Amino acid sequence: MKKLHALGLAVGMLTTFSTLAATEMRYGVEAEYPPFESRNSSGELEGFDIDLGNAVCEAANLKCSWVETSFDALIPGLMSKKFDAINSAMNITEQRRKSIDFTQPIYRIPSQLVGKTGSVMEATPAGLKGKTIGVLQGSIQETYAKEHWEKQGVTVVSYKDQNMAWGDLLNGRIDASLVMSAAGQAGFLSKPQGKGFGFIGKPVSDDTILGSGIGFGLRKGDAETKKQLDAAIEKVKADGTVTTLAKKYFPGIDVSVK
């Protein structure tokens, strides 16, 4: 009887552990892209996607944890099960859908060039002739710049993280950087180092490359996680959480998914 009782306890503990493990949501994140995600002076993760991820976890009764990696390593990391979902301002595109699935779109941010105020540039191949443009490696901005500009003779330089691009913009190694407008505003233009710089022209457009909005990346065929997260996303949209966070982190920018 003692052996059977001990076996029962062991099975019960294993079942409990499995249940607890199933309630954790491990997000993959690249933490060098404020105001979406970054570390504050205390070393804590903060930003729109961090608050959004926590709100979605709360709505789904999940426990959040975060796994950091470079942006271009997020999809390989997801596929190798280092985390359960990508939550790092990743736009939903047909190219990415070949490798992974996505939740429904949650929000959308336009992409714009950031360069010196008063510079003679336009966000066109002709307007960027002879210029060097910095982009985040693995981003849709990189794909756009290589497709629309590099093929027309514009030099495109890719960086592991956006802060490296800002550094090269300041020291004159590049002429401009193509980023999501909110990242350009909060991560550079609103800071002292951004004085003398601004947005160049209007947002670029190409729905095929730039996508239909930003969602959480999921492993192919992970229908259970998609169903769970989509339901929670509906909740945080309906209760105004997404709108409130957008006003906090992206004042003046319409993030609604059209």
Side-chain angles (χ1 to χ4, degrees):
M1 288 294 291
K2 287 183 177 181
K3 287 184 178 180
L4 286 174
H5 180 65
L7 180 60
L9 284 174
V11 171
M13 290 175 66
L14 182 60
T15 302
T16 301
F17 177 80
S18 298
T19 302
L20 288 172
T23 62
E24 182 180 17
M25 177 56 60
R26 298 172 301 157
Y27 288 124
V29 62
E30 190 274 298
E32 295 288 344
Y33 205 57
F36 298 94
E37 47 267 334
S38 60
R39 287 198 174 274
N40 59 26
S41 57
S42 300
E44 301 166 328
L45 284 169
E46 65 177 9
F48 178 88
D49 285 330
I50 306 303
D51 288 355
L52 174 65
N54 285 324
V56 168
C57 279
E58 184 176 350
N61 196 28
L62 295 166
K63 178 185 177 183
C64 277
S65 63
W66 305 85
V67 180
E68 292 183 52
T69 188
S70 61
F71 192 84
D72 61 328
L74 284 168
I75 289 178
L78 175 68
M79 295 171 70
S80 62
K81 299 185 178 182
K82 291 182 179 178
F83 35 83
D84 307 304
I86 296 171
N87 177 9
S88 198
M90 181 170 283
N91 283 271
I92 302 168
T93 66
E94 290 307 311
Q95 183 63 34
R96 286 172 176 156
R97 282 188 182 278
K98 294 177 182 178
S99 302
I100 62 174
D101 288 336
F102 284 91
T103 62
Q104 62 175 285
I106 309 169
Y107 65 102
R108 190 171 190 175
I109 302 287
S111 295
Q112 285 186 269
L113 270 177
V114 172
K116 282 189 176 180
T117 303
S119 59
V120 184
M121 281 190 291
E122 293 181 10
T124 63
L128 296 176
K129 186 177 180 180
K131 304 298 183 181
T132 301
I133 306 302
V135 291
L136 178 65
Q137 188 171 310
S139 68
I140 57 172
Q141 289 76 27
E142 178 188 49
T143 303
Y144 181 94
K146 287 182 176 294
E147 177 64 30
H148 289 273
W149 299 337
E150 190 173 60
K151 291 181 178 181
Q152 302 299 318
V154 179
T155 302
V156 176
V157 180
S158 301
Y159 294 88
K160 275 283 188 181
D161 70 67
Q162 187 60 39
N163 287 329
M164 296 171 66
W166 296 138
D168 275 3
L169 181 60
L170 285 167
N171 62 35
R173 290 195 180 97
I174 61 175
D175 299 292
S177 181
L178 182 64
V179 295
M180 284 193 283
S181 58
Q185 183 62 46
F188 184 69
L189 295 177
S190 64
K191 296 182 177 181
Q193 64 183 4
K195 185 178 181 180
F197 293 86
F199 288 117
I200 306 296
K202 296 179 180 180
V204 297
S205 62
D206 182 332
D207 286 350
T208 300
I209 291 176
L210 301 177
S212 57
I214 293 167
F216 296 163
L218 306 170
R219 280 187 289 278
K220 278 285 188 184
D222 190 355
E224 183 178 347
T225 301
K226 177 174 172 55
K227 181 179 179 181
Q228 190 175 36
L229 291 180
D230 275 344
I233 289 166
E234 285 291 349
K235 289 181 182 179
V236 299
K237 281 183 174 181
D239 68 12
T241 298
V242 175
T243 301
T244 299
L245 291 177
K247 288 179 179 178
K248 174 184 176 181
Y249 288 101
F250 316 132
I253 297 176
D254 179 11
V255 304
S256 60
V257 179
K258 302 294 191 293

